[in-house]
Amino acid sequence: MSHKPSPLSEPPSGGTTSSHRSDRRTRVTVLVALAANLVIALAKIVGGFVAGSPALLSEAAHSVADSMNEVFLLAALRRSRRPADSRHPFGYGKERFFWSLLAAVGIFVMGGCFSLFQGFEALSRGSTETRSGYVAGLLVLVVALLAEGTSLLRALHQVRKQGGLAAGARDPALRTVVAEDATAVLGVGLAIAGMALHMATGRIVWEASASFGIGALLVYVAYRLGRDAREQLIGQSMGPEPSRRIHALLEAQPEIDSVESLLTMQLGPESTLVAARVDLTPGLDSEEVELVAERIKRSVSHTIPEADQIFLDVTDALTARRGAAAGRGRPAPRLAADGDDPAATGERGGA
């Protein structure tokens, strides 16, 4: 009996089209954020040096870090779409997690650490601002607040179109843009408050405190983004609720006696590996086993659309059936193929 390609060997075309549309929207969102951050960074740098404001220079470092991170995210969107090959048979979806980790490092080093340094520098050297410098700095920050707010609204609009915060958060690029823009809005608010209080009281401690607050906020956001990217890079499961649904679906199949184990791992924002070890009921011949496996995979893929790599490993019952099939001169059913190369065979689903 020749092995027939799985009906689930290619992902549904509608899901692929939807994924590409989502990527295009995310790319536009990242480009909007990049354009806003470049203009704002330049204005903050000029205004910060003119005004001699540590809070404004901290915000300039924040915008420069965000601009670099948008470049990382654009690289992630492009590289993660490369097709599977012999060296990466499950594709390049984890590229997004890697570049998101680099973005988190950029936020920490270029934004958070520089802002903290500016706070210490302000306390040690005192105030050099003039009243005209205050006014110029505050005008720059108000414009920055409007631009950052516009970029944040664009990102939140896309999150809503992709099914809300829980669904949109699966895309690390979109998650990073939302975190950056929200942090930028809060940071600009802190800088405005620090400069205004400094201007009103003449005490540099207010502006230094704003720099410390911006730095602490950026360090925290960088930690959260880096932690999420690390979890996904080292192999994070798809979560308890989808796993529970897959387990219940497998248990409900009349041909399955028990589900010995179920393992899942996210391969990308819309790609998940599912591997299940099951014990089938006795009395099924090799052709029935193969048909059952195909039907089960189809059900799992329909229930969890992002489950595009599905592998079933039949336990004890399989050994007996393989021996019986070999005795009759028929090839054994091919249910699990851990060493198979989906890129070489053209199959994306498991055996």
Side-chain angles (χ1 to χ4, degrees):
M1 179 181 66
S2 61
H3 176 65
K4 298 178 181 179
S6 164
L8 297 180
S9 60
E10 296 296 335
S13 58
T16 302
T17 302
S18 174
S19 177
H20 283 299
R21 282 200 301 266
S22 174
D23 273 4
R24 284 196 295 270
R25 289 194 295 265
T26 300
R27 187 176 292 106
V28 171
T29 298
V30 174
L31 288 172
V32 168
L34 175 59
N37 280 318
L38 286 174
V39 173
I40 293 168
L42 180 61
K44 287 176 180 176
I45 290 172
V46 173
F49 280 114
V50 170
S53 167
L56 194 51
L57 288 174
S58 296
E59 271 301 298
H62 182 183
S63 295
V64 171
D66 285 352
S67 300
M68 292 296 297
N69 294 337
E70 259 85 63
V71 174
F72 290 155
L73 297 179
L74 289 173
L77 290 171
R78 180 178 62 84
R79 294 177 63 85
S80 65
R81 277 297 168 190
R82 289 181 294 171
D85 54 37
S86 58
R87 292 190 63 187
H88 299 87
F90 293 108
Y92 289 81
K94 288 196 174 186
E95 284 266 15
R96 297 206 187 190
F97 308 144
F98 170 74
W99 290 99
S100 295
L101 179 61
L102 290 187
V105 174
I107 293 173
F108 177 82
V109 175
M110 298 180 63
C113 292
F114 185 80
S115 296
L116 294 174
F117 169 77
Q118 281 295 313
F120 285 113
E121 183 76 5
L123 290 177
S124 63
R125 68 175 180 173
S127 175
T128 60
E129 287 128 313
T130 63
R131 187 168 188 83
S132 60
Y134 282 123
V135 174
L138 288 173
L139 286 176
V140 169
L141 288 174
V142 169
V143 172
L145 183 63
L146 294 174
E148 298 285 11
T150 301
S151 179
L152 177 61
L153 289 175
R154 160 73 199 189
L156 292 176
H157 175 70
Q158 184 182 341
V159 168
R160 184 180 62 81
K161 290 191 71 173
Q162 290 187 198
L165 190 58
R170 287 203 304 265
D171 186 344
L174 181 57
R175 183 172 64 239
T176 301
V177 171
V178 171
E180 284 180 351
D181 287 345
T183 305
V185 169
L186 291 175
V188 170
L190 287 173
I192 290 174
M195 288 189 70
L197 288 171
H198 185 188
M199 183 169 60
T201 64
R203 299 182 62 188
I204 190 65
V205 66
W206 291 111
E207 211 161 339
S209 298
S211 290
F212 287 137
I214 293 168
L217 182 64
L218 291 173
V219 168
Y220 174 73
V221 170
Y223 163 74
R224 290 295 301 268
L225 291 174
R227 186 189 65 177
D228 291 344
R230 171 185 172 273
E231 291 294 322
Q232 291 169 318
L233 276 174
I234 63 178
Q236 188 176 32
S237 70
M238 67 191 314
E241 177 57 24
S243 297
R244 185 196 62 78
R245 291 167 61 192
I246 294 176
H247 194 281
L249 186 151
L250 294 175
E251 290 278 12
Q253 303 302 314
E255 296 86 358
I256 294 180
D257 263 348
S258 63
V259 179
E260 302 299 325
S261 65
L262 175 64
L263 304 175
T264 65
M265 184 173 66
Q266 294 180 12
L267 302 175
E270 297 179 5
S271 177
T272 301
L273 170 70
V274 176
R277 181 173 290 114
V278 299
D279 186 6
L280 298 182
T281 57
L284 298 175
D285 63 29
S286 60
E287 291 186 0
E288 289 175 321
V289 169
E290 185 170 343
L291 291 174
V292 166
E294 299 299 340
R295 193 193 72 234
I296 292 173
K297 290 192 297 179
R298 190 179 297 109
S299 298
V300 171
S301 184
H302 178 75
T303 303
I304 309 292
E306 61 267 27
D308 61 341
Q309 303 282 355
I310 305 170
F311 294 82
L312 298 179
D313 179 21
V314 177
T315 56
D316 297 340
L318 176 60
T319 303
R321 277 192 291 277
R322 278 179 170 167
R328 294 194 299 268
R330 299 171 58 186
R334 193 165 172 269
L335 290 180
D338 295 338
D340 280 354
D341 178 2
T345 62
E347 294 188 49
R348 288 186 58 81

